[in-house]
Amino acid sequence: SPDGRRVAYESDTGGTMEIWCMDIDGAHARAMTSDGGYWPSWNPAGNRIVYCNWGSPAPNLWEIAVQQERGDWHPRRDSNP
């Protein structure tokens, strides 16, 4: 994230490549997507992650709003910018 406190990354831990977010120390790791995602990038404000999803017939860019609740990171709603 722009403030250096969080990391957005892709992982296939659950069998499908998804976007994940965690604190820089590795705490509070959470899948932010459930329909696939690659190449996450934070917006300058640090409250949204833009990522690629391999839709049909071509890849699409998606944006997910990120909020913190009780020390844990949660996705809000996906949108296609």
Side-chain angles (χ1 to χ4, degrees):
S1 61
D3 64 8
R5 297 181 322 158
R6 298 166 287 175
V7 176
Y9 60 100
E10 59 189 60
S11 174
D12 63 355
T13 300
T16 303
M17 193 65 75
E18 302 292 350
I19 302 302
W20 287 67
C21 183
M22 70 177 173
D23 293 342
I24 196 72
D25 66 1
H28 305 114
R30 174 176 292 274
M32 304 303 283
T33 60
S34 60
D35 59 352
Y38 297 86
W39 308 313
S41 180
W42 292 95
N43 74 336
N47 61 352
R48 294 181 178 277
I49 298 170
V50 175
Y51 64 96
C52 183
N53 181 300
W54 292 105
S56 178
N60 293 299
L61 287 179
W62 287 83
E63 178 180 68
I64 189 166
V66 180
Q67 64 186 17
Q68 186 175 21
E69 295 175 8
R70 293 187 218 116
D72 211 356
W73 298 102
H74 297 274
R76 287 198 328 219
R77 191 183 69 161
D78 281 347
S79 63
N80 192 326

